[in-house]
Amino acid sequence: MSPRTGLRRSSRRTNPLAASPIIAVVGSLTQDIIFETERIPQLAYRASHETVKNDKESGKSGVRDSEIRVFMNGAVGDDEIGPALREKTGRAVVMVEQEEGQSSALGFKGTNLLFQPLEDGVECLAGDTKTKPDVLITHCTLRMETVENMLETAYANGVETILSASPAVYLTSATYAHIVHIVFNEHEAAEMSGRSATDFVDLEVAKEAAAVFVRYGVKYAIITLGEAGAVYATRDGKRGHVLAQKNVNLMNYCIDSFLGAYVVEFVRQKRKEEWNIEKAIDFTIKAAARTIEQLGSQTALPWADEIERD
């Protein structure tokens, strides 16, 4: 998919989404090896672990809704992991602190760097439906040229684009202009806005950082702040803070459920020709509360109707 050819343009949608919206997810297919430990070791330190879990389809944005059709696009290797989910499949080692719930991850991208859409345009990202997806979700673990081209093509064809800016990378002004929604954690947002993550203890600073990315060209910017919840800024000048639920920390390994819940709530609202970003973020935080009830990135994902339960 070249950046200047093969772009089939169409007018932007003004009608509500179809009864069965199509979400195209373009991300890294990795095997996560998750260690639960008392604390994450610093340099020159070692830590023992009590729980080890293998998850085979990380990078898939989650929260399951039977009314939404989701198509995952990615690449796997020819190793022992590839056939189960073909160069080598991506892997990530994730360490999770038992008490605080904080996590760190070290990833090997593997064949994710080789992924390319099968055709120009965006219909190829929705399987054999031959239909343009309603939403494209992607993140920065693929080759950035691929990510940038997909965002440009999707945006030009009236597809709602969502970028998970993980890991933190430099983006051009042209790329920002093709992103409708961007989501970071506080460390990624700090690095990409030239700030320190410790500055985000001040929520006004965090909201101003989100507004920076709106000035760069995105329409909606969201920064997750762990146990402090999340802040957002929008192109129409709104800024806000959504509290986390009690004892819920929006840790790094919740990002799949965060993005999944966000897009589920987005398409639900768009069906009604509505959009309330604060309501959507509140829904994502409730999804995180369900996700952290068990260990794992894929198996822990809740169904949409499980999120609101007491």
Side-chain angles (χ1 to χ4, degrees):
M1 186 185 299
S2 67
R4 297 294 173 218
T5 61
L7 300 182
R8 296 193 291 274
R9 297 179 182 270
S10 62
S11 59
R12 288 194 168 275
R13 287 185 177 83
T14 57
N15 297 325
L17 298 186
S20 298
I22 295 175
I23 311 301
V25 182
V26 184
S28 61
L29 294 175
T30 64
Q31 182 189 46
D32 281 2
I33 304 170
I34 302 171
F35 295 92
E36 189 175 35
T37 180
E38 289 186 0
R39 64 185 178 89
I40 296 173
Q42 297 177 344
L43 290 176
Y45 282 82
R46 291 188 178 187
S48 60
H49 59 86
E50 294 187 4
T51 307
V52 180
K53 183 178 180 63
N54 290 303
D55 265 15
K56 288 190 176 176
E57 287 185 291
S58 179
K60 183 171 184 177
S61 296
V63 172
R64 297 167 283 192
D65 187 314
S66 59
E67 296 181 358
I68 298 173
R69 291 178 289 171
V70 179
F71 293 87
M72 182 66 201
N73 299 266
V76 295
D78 60 359
D79 51 3
E80 68 281 4
I81 299 172
L85 268 164
R86 274 170 189 283
E87 238 85 11
K88 299 295 181 183
T89 303
R91 293 169 170 83
V93 175
V94 182
M95 291 172 285
V96 182
E97 288 187 342
Q98 291 169 331
E99 291 191 11
E100 297 296 326
Q102 296 291 346
S103 65
S104 290
L106 178 64
F108 164 65
K109 295 183 178 182
T111 44
N112 293 302
L113 294 175
L114 303 179
F115 173 79
Q116 289 285 344
L118 296 176
E119 303 172 4
D120 290 338
V122 289
E123 291 82 0
C124 67
L125 301 176
D128 58 2
T129 66
K130 307 299 182 183
T131 303
K132 180 171 62 176
D134 296 284
V135 182
L136 169 71
I137 308 174
T138 190
H139 62 165
C140 302
T141 58
L142 307 176
R143 288 177 62 246
M144 283 311 300
E145 181 181 1
T146 302
V147 172
E148 291 163 355
N149 291 345
M150 286 190 300
L151 289 169
E152 179 183 5
T153 303
Y155 189 85
N157 282 274
V159 177
E160 201 85 7
T161 55
I162 301 177
L163 178 68
S164 171
S166 176
V169 295
Y170 172 79
L171 299 176
T172 66
S173 57
T175 299
Y176 280 114
H178 300 142
I179 301 168
V180 181
H181 312 253
I182 193 165
V183 181
F184 325 76
N185 65 29
E186 68 266 40
H187 302 287
E188 294 152 354
E191 183 172 341
M192 293 175 68
S193 65
R195 290 171 167 80
S196 169
T198 57
D199 295 340
F200 292 174
V201 173
D202 184 333
L203 294 176
E204 293 304 314
V205 173
K207 285 186 277 189
E208 171 56 28
V212 166
F213 297 99
V214 173
R215 291 196 289 272
Y216 287 168
V218 307
K219 194 170 183 179
Y220 306 103
I222 302 169
I223 303 174
T224 64
L225 300 172
E227 62 187 5
V231 295
Y232 67 88
T234 70
R235 190 179 293 172
D236 60 5
K238 294 180 181 177
R239 301 183 187 185
H241 172 228
V242 183
L243 289 168
Q245 290 189 316
K246 186 178 180 180
N247 299 325
V248 172
N249 189 327
L250 297 179
M251 330 63 145
N252 293 343
Y253 72 86
C254 283
I255 191 61
D256 289 350
S257 63
F258 190 99
L259 288 169
Y262 184 79
V263 75
V264 165
E265 183 61 22
F266 172 78
V267 298
R268 282 176 169 178
Q269 291 190 37
K270 285 298 183 178
R271 285 173 180 163
K272 302 176 183 178
E273 298 186 78
E274 302 171 351
W275 177 233
N276 183 323
I277 189 172
E278 193 156 316
K279 179 180 177 182
I281 296 172
D282 182 64
F283 183 73
T284 67
I285 291 173
K286 292 176 180 176
R290 297 302 175 203
T291 302
I292 63 175
E293 289 176 353
Q294 57 180 305
L295 201 62
S297 58
Q298 183 82 350
T299 55
L301 295 176
W303 285 97
D305 59 4
E306 296 174 333
I307 294 173
E308 300 285 356
R309 76 170 193 264
D310 294 331

